Amino acid sequence: MYYVVMKDRDIRDNLATEQYLMNNVKFDEPLVLFYIEKPCIIVGRNQNTIEEINSDYIKDNNITVTRRISGGGAVYQDLGNLCFSFVVDSDDKNFGDFKSFTQPIIDALHQMGATTAEVSGRNDLLVDGKKFSGNAMYSRNNKTFSHGTLSLDVDLDVLTKALHVSKDKIASKGIKSIRSRVTNLRPYLAPEYQDLTTEQFRDRLLLELFHADNLDEIKDHEYVVTDADQKEIDKIKEQYYYNWDWVYGKSPAFTAKQRKHFDMGTVDVRYNIENGKIEHVEIYGDFFGMKDVNDIKEKLLNLKYDREEILNVLNQFNLDDYFKGIPNDQLSKLFTP
């Protein structure tokens, strides 16, 4: 087995590296990758990004959002989480068999004291019945990777806020995440591992996977990304993980609506979104205004369903002419994701 330890802390760069290594570098043995990220949300290939995230919260807290090429549900990660990925030759029989990929991780965690860790259901890892890992799989060109999260010490309060969106705001055909009881691994590890940093936790797992006593013993098994590799990885980053059309535009068609009653009347904003863009917009309510809201609707058509782009349009108008007596900041919240 070979391994790669990624130094970058941006999920987009790490997913691009994973994708590149799977498709472009030939290994004669399985490959395992480990990576750690700054706060981010990664939605599954078939999900509606807007439906999965709390847009206001992620903007205010500088949380990166991207989409991966594998299926499954949305996950939140921060520097207290460790990601792992196994890359192997493809076999139709093992696609979807998450246990065959995750069992080595479970065995390693047992050695570190988390003896109740287990594979559960389709693609989750549990400890004492609580979820600490979600996993997803992707196959192409006779290669398969299975990657997953390991919550060592994730800020669970941020997780619940970042992945929360009002159920009556969005309606789509995207595959929705199933929220489960989640926990961190740290309390379940043996005392000698209780104070490990995420990096130390990663290194300990590596040693367990390779049955080694120190990292020097396994240096010959490490693959280091070359400058030539990095040039190709950068292309993948721009094509996929930094690309608005990939992250948001690939979402299934959906409708979005927000309604609020003010002292000066009720405003109800509804959108139909296709390929991440506003295909239709309606503005209902019993508000008063000197001017016709169709002026605003026309400017919003074919716009990206994106907070900044919508605000740029709204700022072109004196909104008090259309919604008399209603505060601009409150109107902006109604019109934006």
Side-chain angles (χ1 to χ4, degrees):
M1 182 163 63
Y2 297 96
Y3 72 93
V4 173
V5 172
M6 301 191 202
K7 305 301 183 185
D8 206 293
R9 293 295 180 260
D10 191 305
I11 182 59
R12 297 166 295 186
D13 298 353
N14 289 334
L15 288 175
T17 301
E18 176 187 60
Q19 185 175 342
Y20 171 80
L21 292 176
M22 172 186 173
N23 291 325
N24 297 280
V25 180
K26 295 187 181 298
F27 295 94
D28 55 8
E29 295 181 25
L31 171 70
V32 62
L33 304 93
F34 285 105
Y35 44 103
I36 302 166
E37 281 83 40
K38 293 178 291 187
C40 58
I41 292 173
I42 311 96
V43 301
R45 182 186 184 95
N46 302 308
Q47 291 191 294
N48 175 356
T49 302
I50 292 293
E51 186 176 18
E52 295 296 325
I53 65 176
N54 181 340
S55 297
D56 287 340
Y57 187 84
I58 65 166
K59 178 179 175 60
D60 292 343
N61 291 275
N62 196 30
I63 297 172
T64 298
V65 178
T66 195
R67 181 190 300 277
R68 60 182 183 269
I69 60 175
S70 58
V75 293
Y76 170 78
Q77 299 173 11
D78 60 22
L79 294 172
N81 178 82
L82 175 66
C83 282
F84 67 94
S85 177
F86 287 103
V87 182
V88 301
D89 290 335
S90 185
D91 181 344
D92 289 342
K93 294 180 181 178
N94 66 27
F95 189 83
D97 178 13
F98 287 95
K99 185 172 183 178
S100 65
F101 287 94
T102 56
Q103 192 60 50
I105 296 293
I106 291 293
D107 292 342
L109 292 175
H110 286 181
Q111 292 298 316
M112 296 174 68
T115 56
T116 61
E118 61 179 338
V119 183
S120 176
R122 181 183 61 159
N123 61 333
D124 293 338
L125 304 185
L126 308 183
V127 60
D128 275 8
K130 296 181 181 179
K131 178 178 176 178
F132 68 88
S133 171
N135 294 266
M137 199 174 288
Y138 178 75
S139 187
R140 185 185 176 194
N141 297 335
N142 298 316
K143 286 286 186 180
T144 294
F145 71 61
S146 178
H147 54 191
T149 58
L150 293 171
S151 297
L152 175 67
D153 198 14
V154 170
D155 190 329
L156 299 181
D157 184 54
V158 173
L159 182 155
T160 57
K161 293 175 181 176
L163 286 175
H164 171 73
V165 67
S166 176
K167 291 181 179 179
D168 61 358
K169 177 181 174 182
I170 298 289
S172 84
K173 296 180 180 178
I175 296 175
K176 301 172 180 62
S177 295
I178 298 174
R179 306 292 178 229
S180 305
R181 289 193 307 159
V182 293
T183 192
N184 282 315
L185 274 168
R186 188 184 298 284
Y188 300 94
L189 299 176
E192 62 266 34
Y193 303 119
Q194 288 281 324
D195 297 325
L196 293 181
T197 65
T198 310
E199 289 80 6
Q200 290 169 336
F201 176 60
R202 173 200 64 205
D203 292 347
R204 186 68 242 173
L205 279 178
L206 262 176
L207 295 179
E208 293 292 346
L209 290 176
F210 280 88
H211 306 292
D213 293 322
N214 61 72
L215 294 177
D216 289 337
E217 293 179 26
I218 61 174
K219 276 296 181 184
D220 290 344
H221 295 268
E222 183 178 15
Y223 181 83
V224 178
V225 172
T226 67
D227 290 342
D229 291 336
Q230 192 59 54
K231 288 180 180 179
E232 297 305 314
I233 291 167
D234 290 343
K235 293 177 184 177
I236 295 173
K237 284 159 48 176
E238 297 306 318
Q239 181 181 357
Y240 289 94
Y241 306 106
Y242 282 76
N243 184 347
W244 186 95
D245 286 327
W246 168 254
V247 178
Y248 291 94
K250 290 293 183 182
S251 295
F254 66 98
T255 61
K257 64 177 181 178
Q258 296 199 82
R259 181 179 186 274
K260 186 174 177 63
H261 177 71
F262 302 94
D263 290 342
M264 295 296 289
T266 297
V267 182
D268 184 339
V269 181
R270 305 186 185 196
Y271 295 108
N272 289 342
I273 313 297
E274 295 263 359
N275 297 318
K277 295 185 178 181
I278 299 170
E279 293 293 316
H280 185 74
V281 57
E282 291 292 349
I283 303 172
Y284 300 111
D286 59 359
F287 52 87
F288 295 98
M290 290 173 30
K291 295 186 178 180
D292 191 337
V293 294
N294 282 324
D295 298 342
I296 298 174
K297 288 165 57 177
E298 288 175 5
K299 288 283 190 176
L300 291 172
L301 285 177
N302 300 314
L303 203 68
K304 289 179 181 177
Y305 187 56
D306 173 79
R307 179 187 179 87
E308 296 303 323
E309 295 216 4
I310 293 173
L311 287 178
N312 286 338
V313 166
L314 295 181
N315 289 336
Q316 297 174 26
F317 296 91
N318 178 3
L319 295 179
D320 197 60
D321 289 342
Y322 299 87
F323 309 94
K324 185 64 180 178
I326 299 177
N328 282 9
D329 61 335
Q330 295 298 309
L331 284 169
S332 296
K333 288 182 179 180
L334 283 181
F335 277 88
T336 55

